[in-house]
């Protein structure tokens, strides 16, 4: 199964718990095992554009859709046996300690 892993930072979180691995160690471990298919950091929200089409008109605005203190800082596409496996992989990511990890199974389009 493929999973989207969103890496979410929270600047107000004050965690003193040490992460299991560094980002570099986690990236190397998941790439070497073949679990991590792709991933990258995202630019800051102030560089984002929100795109909507309403009433036949295109609306493009600066920044994210909603104001929030939490920010999606990156993503990874994981190939895991099941959600439990994806949770074990995500739990080793440094942001599991210093932010939030959101996992979602990919839901392929039936074309």
């Amino acid at each position: 199964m493929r999973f989207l892993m969103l890496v979410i930072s929270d600047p107000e979180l004050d965690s003193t718990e040490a992460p299991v691995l560094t980002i570099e160690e986690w990236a190397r471990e998941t790439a070497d095992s073949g679990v991590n298919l792709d991933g990258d950091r995202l630019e800051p929200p102030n560089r984002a554009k929100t795109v909507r089409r309403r009433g036949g008109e295109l609306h493009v605005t600066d920044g994210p859709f909603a104001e929030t203190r939490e920010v999606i800082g990156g993503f990874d596409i994981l190939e895991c046996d099941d959600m439990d496996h994806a949770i074990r992989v995500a739990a080793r990511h440094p942001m599991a300690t210093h932010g939030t990890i959101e996992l979602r199974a990919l839901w392929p389009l039936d074309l």
Side-chain angles (χ1 to χ4, degrees):
M1 294 181 69
R2 288 198 176 165
F3 294 87
L4 173 65
M5 185 179 92
L6 297 173
V7 180
I8 303 166
S9 67
D10 182 350
E12 294 181 14
L13 180 67
D14 186 22
S15 177
T16 57
E17 184 177 346
V20 176
L21 301 170
T22 66
I23 277 286
E24 294 80 12
E25 291 167 334
W26 184 89
R28 191 172 20 262
E29 177 181 283
T30 57
D32 290 349
S33 69
V35 169
N36 193 330
L37 303 179
D38 196 10
D40 219 331
R41 299 180 299 168
L42 297 175
E43 289 192 0
N46 63 353
R47 295 187 187 170
K49 298 288 184 191
T50 301
V51 179
R52 295 180 188 84
R53 183 171 294 280
R54 302 290 186 269
E57 292 186 31
L58 178 63
H59 301 271
V60 179
T61 55
D62 292 336
F65 172 72
E67 284 293 320
T68 179
R69 70 175 197 272
E70 294 180 329
V71 174
I72 299 172
F75 72 95
D76 292 278
I77 304 293
L78 306 177
E79 181 73 45
C80 297
D81 299 330
D82 52 31
M83 180 61 88
D84 289 337
H85 183 203
I87 290 169
R88 289 192 304 274
V89 171
R92 295 177 61 76
H93 192 284
M95 289 305 283
T97 305
H98 289 78
T100 302
I101 302 290
E102 181 176 328
L103 290 168
R104 293 191 191 186
L106 295 186
W107 196 0
L109 290 172
D110 294 327
L111 298 177

